[in-house]
Amino acid sequence: GENVEQHPSTLSVQEGDSAVIKCTYSDSASNYFPWYKQELGKRPQLIIDIRSNVGEKKDQRIAVTLNKTAKHFSLHITETQPEDSAVYFCAASILTSLSKTSYDKVIFGPGTSLSVIP
Amino acid sequence: EAQVTQNPRYLITVTGKKLTVTCSQNMNHEYMSWYRQDPGLGLRQIYYSMNVEVTDKGDVPEGYKVSRKEKRNFPLILESPSPNQTSLYFCASSPSPPSYNEQFFGPGTRLTVL
């Protein structure tokens, strides 16, 4: 079935350095790729997303790149700060049609625990 | 304040004792989902609902039931909980299917089944 792989599972960086998290997906029809941040004990929250008609998107210190041919996308955080420490989840949209029923959803990767060391 | 709420936030129960986790959203969203979060497995969808009275299975539906009688509420029912359902559960809502836009998550319910 469809799946999303995410690497690395854990990542430690020094404050001020950059962090990169990479994801691959299996469904070539996927066209929406959100990233969620989950701080310790909190709910996941969207931090950035990208659609398949765009190769890169930036929002201040975070950016996401998408390579549809290779079916992978990455999250880049520059000038990391201690408050960036969290678990990050990538996800990819899945649209499936079965007989008369179609449904769409996102499949999440297993998560990356990022630690920013002051 | 626009939000998704869940109750209870923490629950310890015993095998076989039926329980319900409530979920409510005040954003008039049509699409709602339940996820479970387990270490190393990310967020896996249990059930989803595209609108009132329209529900369907996600990736891990075994042992769970849901209902959607009103747009704002989407309770998760465990008829006979088992220890392998010990997990962190999140309800989420979105204005349209999550393959198009952001999902808003509830605060989570940590369930332990003894």
Side-chain angles (χ1 to χ4, degrees):
Chain A
E2 304 90 355
N3 74 302
V4 175
E5 296 184 357
Q6 184 172 349
H7 299 280
S9 57
T10 59
L11 179 60
S12 290
V13 300
Q14 289 291 137
E15 182 177 358
D17 288 349
S18 295
V20 180
I21 302 170
K22 299 182 179 181
C23 290
T24 59
Y25 59 97
S26 58
D27 187 352
S28 57
S30 296
N31 59 11
Y32 175 62
F33 307 90
W35 286 87
Y36 286 82
K37 175 184 180 182
Q38 185 181 27
E39 296 177 359
L40 188 63
K42 301 287 183 64
R43 70 192 78 191
Q45 292 187 292
L46 182 79
I47 55 171
I48 195 167
D49 56 14
I50 191 168
R51 298 186 190 276
S52 60
N53 58 346
V54 176
E56 183 176 0
K57 184 177 179 180
K58 289 183 180 179
D59 183 2
Q60 299 182 338
R61 294 187 298 108
I62 61 174
V64 57
T65 59
L66 171 65
N67 182 328
K68 285 218 73 178
T69 303
K71 290 192 283 187
H72 66 69
F73 57 113
S74 300
L75 178 72
H76 303 252
I77 306 174
T78 59
E79 301 173 22
T80 53
Q81 301 168 3
E83 51 264 39
D84 294 328
S85 295
V87 177
Y88 291 81
F89 294 100
C90 63
S93 65
I94 302 291
L95 174 60
T96 304
S97 295
L98 295 174
S99 64
K100 297 181 181 179
T101 304
S102 66
Y103 61 94
D104 41 36
K105 60 182 182 181
V106 291
I107 300 286
F108 286 86
T112 295
S113 178
L114 172 65
S115 298
V116 179
I117 303 164
Chain B
E1 179 189 355
Q3 60 182 344
V4 180
T5 58
Q6 291 178 230
N7 282 291
R9 296 289 314 280
Y10 303 90
L11 179 60
I12 300 174
T13 190
V14 295
T15 299
K17 187 177 181 181
K18 181 180 179 180
L19 66 92
T20 299
V21 183
T22 64
C23 173
S24 184
Q25 51 93 5
N26 62 0
M27 295 171 280
N28 201 36
H29 287 169
E30 292 195 348
Y31 196 103
M32 297 184 76
S33 284
W34 275 102
Y35 293 91
R36 60 177 290 172
Q37 182 178 4
D38 302 288
L41 297 177
L43 294 152
R44 294 180 294 167
Q45 190 181 55
I46 303 170
Y47 268 93
Y48 67 96
S49 170
M50 299 186 92
N51 213 327
V52 175
E53 302 292 2
V54 181
T55 65
D56 209 342
K57 297 176 181 179
D59 298 313
V60 288
E62 295 78 19
Y64 305 95
K65 286 175 57 177
V66 293
S67 69
R68 186 94 181 270
K69 295 184 171 57
E70 306 166 281
K71 198 170 188 177
R72 62 184 293 129
N73 297 324
F74 189 45
L76 179 69
I77 303 155
L78 284 72
E79 295 269 4
S80 182
S82 62
N84 64 10
Q85 292 178 299
T86 292
S87 187
L88 178 59
Y89 292 86
F90 286 101
C91 179
S93 73
S94 54
S96 59
S99 55
Y100 293 98
N101 53 28
E102 176 180 6
Q103 292 185 87
F104 295 85
F105 285 83
T109 295
R110 185 165 293 281
L111 172 65
T112 301
V113 183
L114 302 174

